[in-house]
Amino acid sequence: VKYYMHKSTNWNILITGAAGFIGTSWVKMLIQKDIPFKSVIGTDVRQQTPINHPKYSFTHLDICDPDLSKFLRKYQITHVIH
């Protein structure tokens, strides 16, 4: 992950299941390793323990939602970690 992700800083990353163990671990890894990205958006149907970082936000979203494609366009998501 480290070598591949350092090639760009314009990524808007969507992490599905961000309230779970694996999703939370991904968010923390991206932040702690200071991997360059434009923004990270975590989504889940459950409530997440708050993670404070200026480039991170969390929203309640079910990936089965028919409006998912609108969400991806609105936030210009370039990568999805599912």
Side-chain angles (χ1 to χ4, degrees), residues 8-76:
S8 177
T9 58
N10 294 321
W11 291 2
N12 291 315
I13 304 168
L14 175 71
I15 300 179
T16 64
F21 177 76
I22 295 172
T24 300
S25 296
W26 267 101
V27 171
K28 289 179 179 178
M29 186 270 306
L30 289 169
I31 292 169
Q32 290 172 353
K33 293 198 179 272
D34 199 31
I35 294 173
F37 53 84
K38 194 173 181 181
S39 70
V40 172
I41 300 172
T43 64
D44 208 316
V45 294
R46 299 174 288 166
Q47 182 62 38
Q48 183 186 40
T49 304
I51 296 175
N52 293 323
H53 190 274
K55 294 183 179 181
Y56 179 71
S57 62
F58 179 82
T59 187
H60 290 276
L61 179 69
D62 186 337
I63 61 167
C64 295
D65 189 320
D67 291 330
L68 178 62
S69 60
K70 291 178 187 175
F71 180 88
L72 297 174
R73 284 191 301 274
K74 177 180 178 181
Y75 292 99
Q76 300 177 344

